[in-house]
Amino acid sequence: NGKALQGFYRDLFGWHVDDNNPMNYGFVDTHAGGVNGGIAEGDNRVTVYIEVDDPQAYLDKIKEKGGRTVQEVTVIPNTVTFATFADPSGNVVGLVKAESH
């Protein structure tokens, strides 16, 4: 239950959770700076996201090294650009485009 988990982590750690988006995804601001995260409904899992300058370039490298794309580069305007891949052992990891400052 994504909504319940959003409340759990918000109340436990004092995080700000913003689910006002078309995906009903709870974007998390931990107030620690850097890349934060999110909470959504779906399979029980934790996905680590790695901040990169060009997610597609990394997906191309991942394929060359024996991994595979799970979710193509996805752009949510004014919010985030991300993708996910599986490493050669099948672990799913995310890529998130670094924000330009």
Side-chain angles (χ1 to χ4, degrees):
N1 182 327
K3 290 280 187 200
L5 284 175
Q6 291 169 14
F8 174 84
Y9 285 101
R10 180 186 59 243
D11 296 344
L12 181 64
F13 294 111
W15 294 347
H16 176 254
V17 180
D18 178 7
D19 66 352
N20 186 22
N21 59 74
M23 300 183 318
N24 196 29
Y25 182 86
F27 288 98
V28 175
D29 181 353
T30 64
H31 309 291
V35 175
N36 289 286
I39 302 168
E41 292 190 28
D43 299 333
N44 289 337
R45 69 174 189 264
V46 172
T47 305
V48 175
Y49 282 80
I50 301 165
E51 189 174 35
V52 298
D53 59 347
D54 184 346
Q56 186 59 57
Y58 278 87
L59 288 176
D60 295 343
K61 289 181 191 179
I62 288 160
K63 183 177 179 181
E64 290 173 10
K65 297 188 174 292
R68 65 179 175 80
T69 298
V70 173
Q71 181 168 0
E72 296 289 338
V73 174
T74 302
V75 177
I76 308 222
N78 303 314
T79 305
V80 67
T81 299
F82 69 98
T84 58
F85 69 92
D87 67 19
S89 293
N91 299 299
V92 176
V93 180
L95 300 172
V96 63
K97 184 173 182 176
E99 295 180 23
S100 58
H101 299 281

